[in-house]
Structure formats: C-alpha cells, structure tokens
Amino acid sequence: MPEKHPALTSRAEWQALNDAKARLEHLPMRELFQQDPGRAQRYLVEGAGLSLDFSRNRLTDEVLEALLNLARACGLEERRTALFRGGLVNLTEQRPALHTALREGEQGEVRVNGDNIIPEIHRTLGKMKALVESIHSGERTGHTGARFTDVVSIGIGGSFLGPKLAVEALRPYWQGSINCHFVANIDGTDITETLTRLNPDTTLFLVQSKSFRTQETLENSLLARQWFLDNGGNAASVSQHFMAVTANVEEAARFGIEPANTFPMWDWVGGRYSLWSAIGLPIALTLGMAAFRELLAGAHAMDTHFREAPERENLPVIMAMLSVWYNNFWGAESHAVLPYDEYLKYLPEHLQQLDMESNGKRVTQNGISVDYPTGPVLWGGVGANGQHAYHQLIHQGTRLIPADFIIPLRSHNPVASHHAALFANCLSQARAMMAGKTEAEAEQELVAGGLDGDAARQLAPHKAIPGNRPCNILLMERLTPHTLGALIALYEHRTFVQSVIWDIDCFDQWGVELGKQIGNEILPKLLGESEDGSAGDSATDNLIRLFRDRSGT
Ligand code: F6P
C-alpha cells in the first residue's frame, strides 16, 4: 500500500493557495497585465517544439510558486521517477505504466521484473517496419495477388482514439497508397457503412485489442471475417487479410490469426496510452514508418522535457497545476480543448478518454473517499467553428470554463489570408475571455453608436462580458509528426501530474469495467437466450421486455 501522508486539503500548501485565491479574487487579469509589463514574456515557456503562453490566467508569481510548492509536497518528483523507471504506479492492478518506454531510444534501458524491455519494443518496431514496407511495395498482397489499398482498424477506446487522431491529424504526410478506416462501435451502422465502400480482395483488417476480450471489437471482427468469407475469401486466406495487435496471442490464434501476424502488446501499457505501440499500426501504414518514428521522437522529446525542465518552465507541470488551481480553488467543473486546426479535430475525443478515464476517480490510492473534486469534464472542438456555437457560454455563461487554444504558426494549406484570419480568431477569443467588456464600456460604445442614454443603459448589461476567464495558448511552428507526438505526450503527463496531486490511480478504469460486466449479463436476456431472473431492477427488466416485444431481433 502507498505511504500514508496528510490529507490533501489539510496540507499547509493547500491552505496557502486558499489564501492566495482570496487575495487574487478581486484583481482582474486586465489589471495584472497593466501592473506588470513583463507578464506576457515571463509566462511564455517552451519545450519539445511547443510554446505555452499561460499569461491569461488568474495567476501571479506568488500563486505559481504556491502551486509548485503543492506539487513538491505531493511527491511529484518521486512519482515521476517511479513512472519512468517502471515502478508500480498502477496500484490497483499492480502494474507499471510504461508508455514512455515505447518512445525510448534503442540504447535505453527500462526494466520490468528485472528484464530490459527496450529490445523487445524495438524488435516490434522492426516487425512493424517490415509489414509496412512489404505492403507499400506490393510484396505482400491479398489472397488474389492484388495490392492492399485499404486497412480497417477494428478496436475501441484506447485501441482506436489515438490512432484515429494521429491518422487524421497527419493527413499532409499520408503516403497515398493506403486508405485507413476505423470501426469501433457495436452499433451495426459503423461496420456496415465501412464495409459497403470496400473491396475484400484489397482490404486488410487489423484487430486491435489489448485484451482480445472486448465485445465491440470481437463482434465487429467476426462480422468482418464473415463478410470476407462471403465475398470470395476462404478459411486459408483469412490469415492473409487479418492481423492482430494484442497481449492475448492465444485468443487471437483461436480467432484464426497466426502468431506471425500478431503484434505484441504488454500489460505495462495502458489502453489509452497505447498509440505508441503496435496499436499505432494504422498510423504507420498510412504515413510510413519514418513518420511514425518521428511521432515517437516528438513524444520522447516531451518526456525529456517533463523529466528535466525546471518546474517553472515545465509545460505539463504548469498546465496540470493550473487545472488543479481552477478545479479545486475556483470551482471550475469542465475544461475546454479548442484546437484551431482542422487536422486536430479528433484531439478532444482522444483527450476525453485520456483525461476522464484516467482521472475520473473518487478514492485515493489508499481507498479513502476524496473530499475535493478530481478530474473535470473535458470537452471541446475545432475553432473557429466553436465560436459560432458554445463560445457564447464560455464568454457570458455563469460557469468558469478554462480553455486551451492550440494553434500552429504555419498552415499546411496557406490559401489566401485564411491562416491569418484563423490566428486572429484565436487571439480574439483569448483576449475576449481575458479582458471582457465592462458594462460602462458597453454603454459608451452604444452611445457612440448613436443610441440614446436610456436605451444604452438598458442594453449594456446584455452586452457586458465579465472577462477574467482563463486560457492557455499552445503554439507550434507547424503540425508535424514530431509536434503531434509532443502535444499528445504533453497531455499524458498533464493528466499524470494531476493524479499525483489528487492522489488517485490514473491508470485503472473500474467504472468502465462494471459497464462491460452488466452489458454481458443483459445481452443474453435481450436475445432470449436466458430468461432467468431479473437483470437486477424493474426499470431494466421493463425495457428488456419492451425490446423483446418490439425490436424485431
Ligand atoms: O474503455 C475501456 C477500455 O478498457 C480502454 O481502457 C481500452 O483502451 C479499451 O477498453 C479497449 O480495450 P482492448 O484494447 O482490450 O480491447
């Protein structure tokens, strides 16, 4: 069991933050900027090819120092060392979480149960390279001898979201010979709509499942295999068209996938941290192995930054501590991730799993209920589209929603003045959140626009924007495999640092497991394969009856 230490909210460092908040409460950010000409420059830090402008936060040097003091007091340094060295950071499952080892150089050394795992990681990368090259060159074909044109990745959760994000984000780097499709949902529409567009002779299926027990993935894979057999394939050629990435080689073999076509996963990699492993095959097949290695290199650069940069300049530490600040001291219940880059449209989805599956926990590592909020709701979407939808609530609603804007300085598609306009929109949103508009300013504007005094006074409250709403701006030169790797790793470490402060296990997901278990109990009842007893409550039983009477299943 972990060591006992003072409850988080009784720590002196926690109290210091409460006091700091009281001093800052009536000091708007506008004034902080006016009082301190060096603020913008001082709160701009760089690491692994990313720049973080965190000047638009309810923050002073005193608060920053107090936040970092809290991180130190919570043992961040020791926990970070344990993470990288393969300590049992996933306590409830008694496992290390070594996604960082997946992006370690060939000469590195990370031991699990005494064995250095780096050689095996690099052997797997070699096997991925051989597959990618043989498919791209046409040496490896489907059963009719036709080249593969399409890859269908069947997986869900961490075996889906990261690869989907990276494939879409790196579209400018696609090599052009392979189209990648993703099937995740047990909703039959997902696989049906995907298969209708494909030719079985030229399609390769990747069954992506660490456990090889996930219902959605297994059912979709069985259906895909049947579709292949019904459309010209035969039992012998299944092995040419189906490959697996899994830690459960026996189950994959039972499905008909030869060990030679099975890529390993390890129990020391969590699903939501697995895109760096062979689960990243859809990325490598679409972009080529060199780009995949660049993605790993970017993530590794962020690992090095996280380990070595002083706390005051450390991007994941600063972003995590700001999140703790708003979540635990200012009552923020959600956090918006707003990429101003069309290619990053799946980033919020990936981060939702990463952050909310990791930090949606309510007991400490010792199993004691927390008396403070843990992980906030993470949500978001691409700018500028969101400005015409939910930004209204960010600006004038009653909730405090800290936001991360993410934008590259250079566009892959520099048409007309679009990129400057996109950048202007991003800056305008950040400024509006920070500075807002007082009622007096709104009234003055209205009068200047020709409205009479009374009408202006009545309208002004509606036009006033409170401001003082915090945001970060994350910049990169250009969205490349390297910067994307760094960006995703940044959020992984941010999530980890938060969990250290909240003293929760960010590598398990027992809530998700309960849903799977109940689903497996209900399914036979819906299918009429088991009429025994109740599903546990009359509400569920009622709808089971309704489904059986009316669904036509
Ligand atoms: O969603 C829960 C989860 O356990 C994730 O953590 C995991 O990535 C996903 O299911 C899929 O699991 P598997 O790769 O074992 O099919």
Side-chain angles (χ1 to χ4, degrees):
M1 286 307 265
E3 272 174 50
K4 292 243 188 262
H5 47 66
L8 180 59
T9 50
S10 330
R11 287 183 182 278
E13 295 81 5
W14 191 269
Q15 196 43 49
L17 282 161
N18 267 329
D19 298 344
K21 186 207 164 194
R23 283 192 289 280
L24 201 60
E25 213 148 20
H26 304 290
L27 196 55
M29 271 189 259
R30 273 183 184 211
E31 270 182 47
L32 293 176
F33 272 96
Q34 276 157 13
Q35 287 171 10
D36 177 4
R39 181 179 178 88
Q41 205 46 49
R42 218 172 49 257
Y43 292 163
L44 180 68
V45 290
E46 290 183 18
L50 304 180
S51 303
L52 169 69
D53 174 356
F54 64 105
S55 60
R56 296 169 196 78
N57 277 289
R58 292 187 176 182
L59 192 72
T60 57
D61 291 348
E62 178 210 3
V63 173
L64 182 57
E65 201 41 50
L67 287 167
L68 297 177
N69 281 339
L70 179 66
R72 285 177 207 119
C74 292
L76 175 59
E77 204 176 318
E78 299 79 33
R79 295 293 308 283
R80 179 173 48 197
T81 305
L83 175 76
F84 280 89
R85 292 219 181 128
L88 295 181
V89 289
N90 180 352
L91 272 180
T92 69
E93 296 178 296
Q94 285 290 292
R95 289 176 186 165
L98 277 169
H99 41 287
T100 50
L102 297 171
R103 47 239 193 179
E104 182 67 62
E106 211 162 353
Q107 306 314 321
E109 187 182 316
V110 179
R111 293 197 174 266
V112 174
N113 299 327
D115 297 328
N116 184 11
I117 57 172
I118 300 298
E120 196 183 347
I121 290 169
H122 282 266
R123 266 197 302 280
T124 304
L125 284 168
K127 184 169 168 172
M128 288 170 70
K129 181 170 185 273
L131 176 72
V132 169
E133 287 177 355
S134 67
I135 287 181
H136 284 188
S137 68
E139 180 197 322
R140 184 168 188 141
T141 64
H143 70 117
T144 63
R147 275 175 177 247
F148 285 116
T149 55
D150 295 88
V151 168
V152 180
S153 164
I154 305 178
I156 197 163
S159 299
F160 156 60
L161 292 162
K164 185 174 79 156
L165 157 65
V167 166
E168 181 59 30
L170 299 174
R171 201 177 255 266
Y173 299 87
W174 287 8
Q175 293 212 332
S177 59
I178 293 289
N179 287 313
C180 195
H181 314 263
F182 292 92
V183 171
N185 203 341
I186 191 67
D187 180 339
T189 302
D190 199 2
I191 186 144
T192 304
E193 287 293 343
T194 304
L195 293 182
T196 45
R197 288 179 272 141
L198 297 175
N199 173 357
D201 297 344
T202 57
T203 300
L204 177 70
F205 291 92
L206 287 177
V207 184
Q208 308 247 78
S209 177
K210 178 178 167 184
S211 61
F212 222 87
R213 292 191 198 288
T214 305
Q215 184 206 42
E216 295 90 334
T217 302
L218 293 187
E219 293 297 324
N220 279 326
S221 301
L222 286 170
L223 210 95
R225 185 172 63 179
Q226 196 54 51
W227 173 83
F228 175 70
L229 293 173
D230 293 346
N231 289 281
N234 54 49
S237 52
V238 164
S239 66
Q240 266 172 280
H241 285 256
F242 284 79
M243 297 190 172
V245 181
T246 186
N248 192 347
V249 184
E250 297 78 35
E251 277 302 318
R254 253 192 287 282
F255 182 92
I257 300 175
E258 292 172 10
N261 288 335
T262 300
F263 290 77
M265 263 285 275
W266 303 278
D267 71 356
W268 40 260
V269 182
R272 51 194 174 272
Y273 302 86
S274 65
L275 77 103
W276 321 101
S277 71
I279 288 288
L281 261 176
I283 312 169
L285 283 163
T286 315
L287 278 80
M289 208 53 203
F292 186 71
R293 283 186 184 274
E294 268 299 290
L295 186 78
L296 298 182
H300 181 67
M302 183 52 72
D303 295 340
T304 307
H305 170 83
F306 177 46
R307 290 175 96 164
E308 295 178 1
E311 289 145 351
R312 171 67 183 72
E313 293 158 29
N314 195 307
L315 273 70
V317 173
I318 292 170
M319 286 179 69
M321 295 315 295
L322 284 169
S323 164
V324 168
W325 181 224
Y326 298 121
N327 191 58
N328 296 100
F329 296 89
W330 297 83
E333 289 175 340
S334 82
H335 183 90
V337 175
L338 308 172
Y340 273 58
D341 189 312
E342 197 63 28
Y343 289 127
L344 287 174
K345 67 176 166 217
Y346 296 129
L347 181 68
E349 256 183 74
H350 174 68
L351 297 186
Q352 276 183 329
Q353 192 209 17
L354 171 66
D355 198 275
M356 291 161 77
E357 199 168 84
S358 296
N359 284 337
K361 311 289 162 65
R362 52 180 296 285
V363 296
T364 65
Q365 302 260 25
N366 277 316
I368 297 163
S369 294
V370 297
D371 60 354
Y372 44 86
T374 58
V377 175
L378 189 147
W379 62 279
V382 285
N385 302 8
Q387 291 173 209
H388 301 272
Y390 38 76
H391 282 221
Q392 168 61 31
L393 189 144
I394 295 180
H395 291 304
Q396 280 190 309
T398 52
R399 295 166 199 281
L400 177 72
I401 305 178
D404 295 341
F405 293 91
I406 302 167
I407 189 162
L409 291 167
R410 287 167 184 267
S411 168
H412 282 287
N413 300 293
V415 291
S417 53
H418 277 53
H419 194 59
L422 182 74
F423 209 86
N425 272 288
C426 175
L427 288 183
S428 82
Q429 293 302 303
R431 173 160 170 80
M433 283 180 73
M434 183 276 281
K437 185 189 285 183
T438 64
E439 211 168 303
E441 285 166 348
E443 197 177 320
Q444 261 171 27
E445 255 180 41
L446 289 165
V447 171
L451 216 63
D452 73 52
D454 269 357
R457 236 182 327 281
Q458 272 185 22
L459 195 51
H462 298 275
K463 297 199 111 186
I465 317 279
N468 220 16
R469 304 206 158 176
C471 68
N472 295 316
I473 301 185
L474 264 173
L475 301 141
M476 65 197 84
E477 182 80 14
R478 195 192 278 278
L479 184 60
T480 63
H482 198 277
T483 50
L484 180 69
L487 180 67
I488 299 172
L490 164 62
Y491 277 95
E492 288 178 352
H493 295 318
R494 172 187 182 273
T495 302
F496 172 73
V497 175
Q498 289 168 322
S499 79
V500 170
I501 306 305
W502 295 325
D503 190 23
I504 53 180
D505 188 332
C506 67
F507 297 112
D508 62 12
Q509 61 281 323
W510 298 107
V512 177
E513 304 305 334
L514 175 65
K516 290 184 192 171
Q517 185 191 319
I518 298 176
N520 287 334
E521 286 160 15
I522 291 177
L523 181 61
K525 295 183 195 299
L526 289 176
L527 294 174
E529 290 165 0
S530 151
E531 315 243 351
D532 309 346
S534 158
D537 64 85
S538 61
T540 310
D541 291 344
N542 235 359
L543 294 189
I544 289 175
R545 267 193 301 277
L546 188 78
F547 181 87
R548 292 208 47 199
D549 290 348
R550 311 237 305 251
S551 72
T553 303

